[in-house]
Amino acid sequence: MPRTVLIVDDERDTNDILASLVRAREFEPIQVYSGSRVWAAVAEKKPDIILLDLMLPDMDGFAVCDKLKRHRETNLIPIVMVTALHNEDHQLTGVRVGANGYLHKPFSPAQLYAAIDEALAWHDEHLNRGTRGEINFDIRSELTYLQQAQDMLADMFAHTPLTERQVKDLKQAIMEMGGNAIEWGHNKNAELVLRITYRIDAEKITLIIQDQGPGFDPRNLPHAASDEDPIGHVEIRNEMGKREGGFGIMLARGLVDEFHYNKKGNEVTLIKRFLESS
């Protein structure tokens, strides 16, 4: 059976052009003209890929994409944003909500087909990767970091029994600890590489976050919240002139089953077990 493409664009001429182009590649187009029609179309047709306009009459494409990527049933459907907006901030927002590609109008057939092929390859890679694997994230930019974080989210949905809420919580823990490593371990030095490694096996997911900083003693952090005194650090941070916060380690520790640093203090391991989540 041919692969199906859900086309979401309120401009009927553009929608028809996209439908004609995907037919030429022997895909079956499914055409809708508003964001509110997407959910029913996805549930009924189960498309292999979605071409999503950003500027829809009832809601923007970012909201549509974000909702689809937050649910296990639809997270692995690749989404290519198709838009006349060329602003880099829009592209960054698209990546942040989980978009798998970004196609600018006007586009050539070759550009469309390349975006579709790349998005479908992403789907196949994450579907077939298996329950064991290791991926290293060499993070040098926010865009790269967000893209790879969304890939990790897709793997959690595809290869773990974690609930959607648990996946969201685990992602939050990773972002907190990654942010700490960049801010404190690297002192916001963009030239240093932060490495996040994750391994999924039958019983658990293990995440290791390693920075290139000198390390620290996690037992001696007066400017960070502690279980014994969750808000005592606030005054200390004010005296030190640090920004509001300091809850990252305590928050992350509460979201996983195991949490520990290496002796140097520049590598933290987080473990979430599936048995306790079932």
Side-chain angles (χ1 to χ4, degrees), residues 212-227:
Q212 296 183 46
F216 68 101
D217 182 359
R219 297 165 299 181
N220 183 26
L221 292 175
H223 59 279
S226 66
D227 294 332

Side-chain angles (χ1 to χ4, degrees), residues 171-185:
K171 180 186 175 185
Q172 180 66 33
I174 297 161
M175 299 296 278
E176 290 285 349
M177 300 314 300
N180 277 357
I182 292 171
E183 183 173 5
W184 302 110

Side-chain angles (χ1 to χ4, degrees), residues 182-255:
I182 292 171
E183 183 173 5
W184 302 110
H186 288 174
N187 291 318
K188 299 183 179 181
N189 183 346
E191 297 302 313
L192 297 178
V193 177
L194 176 68
R195 175 161 291 165
I196 302 177
T197 305
Y198 67 95
R199 298 189 298 270
I200 300 171
D201 60 38
E203 299 178 349
K204 64 185 181 301
I205 177 170
T206 302
L207 302 112
I208 301 172
I209 303 171
Q210 182 184 54
D211 63 61
Q212 296 183 46
F216 68 101
D217 182 359
R219 297 165 299 181
N220 183 26
L221 292 175
H223 59 279
S226 66
D227 294 332
E228 295 78 18
D229 187 1
I231 62 172
H233 71 293
V234 174
E235 185 174 347
I236 295 174
R237 293 181 72 89
N238 288 336
E239 293 174 355
M240 297 174 68
K242 296 183 181 295
R243 63 172 177 79
E244 293 183 2
F247 295 97
I249 292 177
M250 186 175 71
L251 175 63
R253 183 182 285 115
L255 294 174

Side-chain angles (χ1 to χ4, degrees), residues 73-101:
E73 292 79 7
T74 53
N75 176 270
L76 279 180
I77 301 175
I79 298 175
V80 176
M81 297 287 195
V82 184
T83 177
L85 300 174
H86 290 235
N87 191 306
E88 289 185 5
D89 290 339
H90 287 101
Q91 184 172 356
L92 188 62
T93 302
V95 173
R96 187 175 287 113
V97 297
N100 304 106

